[in-house]
Amino acid sequence: MKSTECAFGRVGRWLLALLLGFFGIAMIIGGAWLIALGGNWYYAIAGILSVISAVYLARRSSKATGWFGVLFIFTLIWTIVESGTDYWGWVPRFALMLIFAIAFSFLLPTLHRGLARRVSRTVSGILVLAFIVAGGLAFVPYHVTQAKDVPTGTDNTFQADTGSGVNHVIPSTDWTSYGGNQATDRYSSATQITPDNVKNLQVAWQSEAGDVPKDTRWGVQNTPLKIGNTLYVCGYLNKVVALDASTGKKQWEFDPGITPESVPYTPSCRSMAYYQDPGVSSTSAVSSGAAACERRVIVGTLDARVIELDAQTGKRCQDFGKNGEVSITDDMGKIYHGYVSITSPPAVIRDTLVVGHTTVDGQRAFGPAGVTKAYDVKTGRLKWVWDAADPQNTAPRTGDDQYKRGSPDVWAPFTGDDKLGLVYLPVANASGDYYSSTRTANENKYSPSLTALDIDTGKPRWSFQNTHNDVWDYDPGASPTLVDYPQADGSKVPAIIFPTKNGETYVLNRATGKSLFGVEERAVPQGGLEPQARSKTQPFSLFNSLAKPDLKPENMWGLTPIDQLVCRIQFAQADYRGRFTPPSLDKPIIDYPGYNGGVDWGGVAFDPARGLIIANYNDMPNYTKLVSRKDADAMGWKARDVLNDPVAEARAEGAGDPQEGVPVAVNVNAGWQLPFTGMLCKEPPYGGIRAIDIRDGRTVWDRPLGTARENGPFGLPTGLPINIGTPNNGGSVVTQSGLIFIAAATDNLFRAIDITTGKTVWSIALPAGAQATPMVYEQGGREYVVITATGHHFMHTPRGNFVIAYALPQ
């Protein structure tokens, strides 16, 4: 005889039976598919157990408890075997099962005659407590390497000697270039804000620069410059705004007249360049009586112009080019509107202004050339032009199509060395990132790479290739950082830190390009679409690598076993044999790290006193499939002459890219996201921050970066401060007092990290996303930390046009 069942219990029983039944059917279907692909049997078996339990539950049979108990224990054992103590591995495997168990426990009195409600309540209480404890464990940081043997120092032992003048000192009162100085340390000697008092930081002022984008592409990514008492900010559509460094009050604004149709992938204006006449002694004050353009702010525009402005007035420097500007597209042949843009800052080395550009990926394999141009910084006279396809012929040419179409560009920020007379270019791929057989020998030699050019002639002194015959879009995105490396005899080796998107971090002699710590050529998978073009080895750094071990099926993730199962099916369908698995028409491949892995355009920060590299990085795969030209044509994948229709929906790079001119198109699932939930298939963390000892490449500490407060399934924010480690773009800045300031993550937080522990000691919510690198300066005896918050469409962070300065209370 069964116990009496109330109406509420009956509804609950049927609802649970239906949920278990649907869950079981999905698991059986997906599990059978996975078994056919040679994958794990758990899902199909768990599905069968779920359906049996659901059937007995619908019949109100006590056998339902036994069958569900078998499912519960089976799942627990499987979770322990596959995940061990990895907390995030337990989430998709066991969280839903625990919820099912709690619901089941409430129904025990209706299924078992004579069972005391006290027993049922005890079981329910234990399960609920287990769920609460499991939920609380989410707030414990995982995948953390605790700080150990943190170096100390105060004498800037590793400071790079790049010359003399305002752009060669460690910044304090000013911030004269994208990375603070020519060495691109992103380091300030400021000490007013410390790990002890940083908790008292507050908004000193907030201003706005440029407009807020209204179309589907946003993400200015700007790091301002600070000269004298003025902050120079580049906003949306390259509007340059000069702000009072103490108050944020606008002094002047310059509008270059850019339209949204000129925006390439994003409206990036990562920074600008600064130049002052050699006779001008300091940047401490810009006199109203100063000669016109004795101090210049230089902006590269989205429509491929370089414009020089008087730092005092914002007016064009008429002695530069024509009406204060030059166009970098001269002599480049046919230019499709929106294809050629300057998104990273130009660089001034000695008296030469060097300008790179981005040629939009994935559209035309033989679009405009990727040439880098060098001008006289005061007159705009073209000095030399470097083309990776013809690297020794640097004399300027006149006429249409003087340079090979589709040759590698230099879109990333770069730097130089006045003392050595070199400019260091992170050279990207030739157009058509995922197909290499049409590239020339020179293109295969110089892309992707870090290449040093003589600043006077433009000819290569040396080149270091980070990926051979690249078809994974591993072009370097970060500006390199310069250091001087002490030797036992008291001398110093001029060195350069070269971080990459595939996670390898190289330290090279910046005069010769030779590695200081060694590079190992390791065998990598072969085959793919172009087996004859694949390199048998790839270069792996013996200094430090941010790349994690190869993925396994067990690393697939989701909120439930069902979405994890979908990811495991996709994993089994892909050709994945570890890093550098070649792309193919037959199967998708997994790029891990993907093109947004490792260190991107935010670069690294370097503490020359402690000898610590601070690298924030991404740890995400891409799911990549080559598409035949016939299939791409059938789907209407065509290059757009006007690339950026402002009303067109923004999408990730590589998502349905036609690559016209080569035999294949490409479809990249960036981050490997599921289409419905938006969750990534790889388990967390997705991004981190690491301190590396420059002396030996040792990881001093490492931890996830970014919380789940603005992230969650279906794009919904959870509001939870769980340190899951989110995707991040934008770098950090370090201060002498021992603080790292960084935003970058998708949780819209600006945070300060103690460099000696790696722990966050202050954070504040921003009004928009901040995929930008902050900067630090002193003005009027007060230290300011500034971040621009404009958001980023690819990172799904909210848009804005904010410039925010933080300082201690006066």
Side-chain angles (χ1 to χ4, degrees):
M1 180 178 178
K2 296 179 180 178
S3 59
T4 304
E5 183 179 38
C6 66
F8 181 78
R10 185 180 303 109
V11 171
R13 177 172 56 81
W14 274 103
L15 179 59
L16 181 57
L18 287 172
L19 289 174
L20 269 175
F22 284 127
F23 170 77
I25 291 170
M27 292 280 280
I28 291 171
I29 295 172
W33 190 355
L34 184 61
I35 291 171
L37 293 169
N40 192 281
W41 284 61
Y42 163 79
Y43 300 91
I45 296 172
I48 293 170
L49 293 174
S50 295
V51 170
I52 295 173
S53 179
V55 169
Y56 280 118
L57 187 61
R59 295 176 177 177
R60 201 183 164 197
S61 169
S62 60
K63 292 181 180 180
T65 305
W67 283 105
F68 182 80
V70 172
L71 171 63
F72 186 84
I73 295 171
F74 176 54
T75 300
L76 177 61
I77 294 171
W78 174 71
T79 300
I80 294 171
V81 170
E82 280 216 329
S83 299
T85 58
D86 178 13
Y87 176 83
W88 295 118
W90 280 67
V91 171
R93 292 171 173 85
F94 203 66
L96 181 62
M97 200 58 59
L98 190 54
I99 293 172
F100 279 154
I102 291 170
F104 215 107
S105 70
F106 293 140
L107 299 175
L108 289 177
T110 70
L111 296 173
H112 297 275
R113 180 187 177 193
L115 180 69
R117 290 192 175 274
R118 177 168 51 83
V119 175
S120 172
R121 289 169 183 160
T122 299
V123 173
S124 298
I126 292 171
L127 292 172
V128 169
L129 180 61
F131 188 81
I132 293 172
V133 171
L137 289 174
F139 295 87
V140 176
Y142 298 98
H143 300 279
V144 173
T145 300
Q146 297 292 350
K148 182 179 180 182
D149 299 328
V150 181
T152 60
T154 57
D155 57 357
N156 297 323
T157 303
F158 297 94
Q159 180 181 355
D161 179 7
T162 59
S164 59
V166 298
N167 202 28
H168 302 278
V169 298
I170 291 176
S172 173
T173 57
D174 289 311
W175 195 268
T176 57
S177 69
Y178 180 47
N181 58 8
Q182 192 174 70
T184 316
D185 288 334
R186 299 183 177 90
Y187 175 81
S188 171
S189 62
T191 58
Q192 187 178 90
I193 304 171
T194 70
D196 292 330
N197 63 26
V198 68
K199 63 181 180 294
N200 299 320
L201 275 189
Q202 61 185 28
V203 175
W205 54 260
Q206 178 172 307
S207 188
E208 297 180 34
D211 303 317
V212 178
K214 293 181 173 60
D215 55 52
T216 61
R217 297 170 178 85
W218 65 95
V220 178
Q221 309 168 9
N222 182 248
T223 299
L225 304 181
K226 193 267 185 179
I227 317 295
N229 62 354
T230 305
L231 200 71
Y232 300 93
V233 185
C234 187
Y236 178 59
L237 300 183
N238 299 126
K239 288 186 178 179
V240 182
V241 180
L243 305 174
D244 184 286
S246 297
T247 66
K249 183 178 179 180
K250 185 183 296 184
Q251 296 178 344
W252 54 258
E253 179 176 288
F254 171 78
D255 184 354
I258 311 294
T259 64
E261 287 78 13
S262 296
V263 174
Y265 177 60
T266 53
S268 306
C269 185
R270 296 187 179 97
S271 194
M272 297 169 286
Y274 172 73
Y275 175 78
Q276 69 179 43
D277 289 346
V280 179
S281 60
S282 103
T283 62
S284 58
V286 180
S287 168
S288 59
C293 291
E294 69 175 17
R295 305 170 193 257
R296 304 173 186 229
V297 173
I298 307 166
V299 60
T301 68
L302 296 171
D303 60 358
R305 292 175 289 156
V306 181
I307 304 174
E308 293 199 352
L309 305 174
D310 185 290
Q312 174 68 18
T313 65
K315 295 180 179 179
R316 293 171 180 261
C317 296
Q318 295 297 329
D319 58 352
F320 180 79
K322 184 178 181 180
N323 191 29
E325 67 177 57
V326 297
S327 172
I328 66 169
T329 59
D330 291 345
D331 308 311
M332 285 174 58
K334 184 174 178 59
I335 304 296
Y336 309 102
H337 189 66
Y339 272 57
V340 177
S341 297
I342 303 170
T343 56
S344 291
V348 179
I349 299 94
R350 296 180 178 172
D351 62 351
T352 300
L353 175 66
V354 185
V355 186
H357 69 267
T358 181
T359 307
V360 176
D361 284 344
Q363 300 300 306
R364 299 178 184 272
F366 298 101
V371 293
T372 299
K373 295 191 173 185
Y375 302 87
D376 183 293
V377 71
K378 294 193 68 173
T379 68
R381 177 181 63 86
L382 186 60
K383 287 186 168 185
W384 50 260
V385 181
W386 188 71
D387 183 1
D390 191 7
Q392 298 299 328
N393 185 7
T394 61
R397 311 171 199 176
T398 303
D400 283 347
D401 283 327
Q402 291 296 304
Y403 305 96
K404 180 183 178 297
R405 296 188 68 78
S407 61
D409 62 23
V410 181
W411 65 264
F414 53 86
T415 189
D417 185 333
D418 280 8
K419 186 174 181 180
L420 293 179
L422 294 174
V423 59
Y424 304 99
L425 304 181
V427 184
N429 288 327
S431 296
D433 288 303
Y434 298 90
Y435 188 83
S436 65
S437 292
T438 55
R439 297 172 190 165
T440 67
N442 278 326
E443 287 175 320
N444 278 329
K445 176 181 178 181
Y446 286 98
S447 70
S449 71
L450 182 65
T451 295
L453 304 183
D454 185 289
I455 195 60
D456 294 322
T457 67
K459 294 187 177 182
R461 293 260 197 97
W462 56 261
S463 185
F464 177 88
Q465 189 167 66
N466 59 288
T467 306
H468 306 319
N469 290 10
D470 180 28
V471 285
W472 303 273
D473 199 11
Y474 281 155
D475 52 335
S479 53
T481 294
L482 312 185
V483 304
D484 280 356
Y485 201 86
Q487 302 298 291
D489 62 2
S491 64
K492 290 189 176 184
V493 172
I496 187 166
I497 302 167
F498 177 35
T500 65
K501 291 198 293 188
N502 66 0
E504 300 301 307
T505 303
Y506 307 95
V507 179
L508 313 173
N509 183 316
R510 70 175 182 270
T512 66
K514 303 299 183 183
S515 173
L516 298 185
F517 292 89
V519 176
E520 183 175 81
E521 291 285 341
R522 298 176 189 167
V524 293
Q526 298 295 289
L529 177 67
E530 312 165 88
Q532 75 289 347
R534 297 286 65 79
S535 173
K536 296 187 182 302
T537 63
Q538 292 290 349
F540 289 77
S541 173
L542 299 181
F543 173 71
N544 190 283
S545 178
L546 298 164
K548 308 296 185 180
D550 289 344
L551 292 175
K552 298 178 181 178
E554 298 93 298
N555 300 129
M556 298 301 98
W557 206 67
L559 284 180
T560 71
I562 293 176
D563 42 335
Q564 185 194 42
L565 172 58
V566 173
C567 291
R568 287 184 89 143
I569 290 171
Q570 291 184 5
F571 185 97
Q573 290 174 322
D575 176 15
Y576 179 61
R577 289 168 280 149
R579 295 178 67 181
F580 299 104
T581 298
S584 168
L585 277 169
D586 300 327
K587 291 183 177 182
I589 66 163
I590 299 169
D591 296 333
Y592 181 59
Y595 65 55
N596 199 38
V599 177
D600 209 340
W601 49 262
V604 301
F606 179 67
D607 184 328
R610 296 176 178 86
L612 288 180
I613 300 169
I614 305 301
N616 59 294
Y617 61 93
N618 284 311
D619 183 25
M620 296 184 297
N622 286 352
Y623 200 76
T624 301
K625 180 72 168 66
L626 295 183
V627 179
S628 71
R629 178 59 52 209
K630 179 181 177 181
D631 289 344
D633 290 343
M635 291 185 286
W637 293 3
K638 294 292 183 182
R640 291 160 286 173
D641 287 348
V642 178
L643 180 66
N644 285 294
D645 178 354
V647 300
E649 183 179 357
R651 60 188 182 186
E653 289 183 297
D657 279 357
Q659 296 195 137
E660 289 195 25
V662 295
V664 289
V666 67
N667 196 23
V668 179
N669 181 345
W672 192 2
Q673 303 175 69
L674 289 177
F676 301 111
T677 65
M679 301 292 286
L680 276 61
C681 272
K682 173 195 163 294
E683 69 181 16
Y686 307 119
I689 186 166
R690 178 181 295 185
I692 304 166
D693 193 331
I694 190 66
R695 298 163 183 83
D696 53 13
R698 176 179 61 92
T699 294
V700 175
W701 53 257
D702 190 357
R703 60 181 53 239
L705 176 68
T707 68
R709 65 183 295 272
E710 293 292 335
N711 302 273
F714 309 104
L716 301 175
T718 66
L720 298 174
I722 298 172
N723 195 27
I724 197 169
T726 72
N728 61 87
N729 264 327
S732 65
V733 63
V734 178
T735 67
Q736 183 179 320
S737 64
L739 288 171
I740 303 164
F741 289 98
I742 187 169
T746 58
D747 57 7
N748 305 332
L749 291 178
F750 189 32
R751 49 178 53 83
I753 298 171
D754 187 329
I755 199 170
T756 62
T757 66
K759 295 180 179 179
T760 298
V761 289
W762 170 84
S763 65
I764 192 169
L766 295 166
Q771 279 61 60
T773 301
M775 44 91 76
V776 176
Y777 63 86
E778 294 175 325
Q779 182 67 24
R782 197 178 188 195
E783 180 183 341
Y784 296 85
V785 184
V786 173
I787 186 75
T788 59
T790 61
H792 198 291
H793 77 262
F794 176 63
M795 308 293 285
H796 304 294
T797 55
R799 69 189 83 191
N801 64 340
F802 302 101
V803 186
I804 310 171
Y806 298 89
L808 295 173
Q810 287 182 309

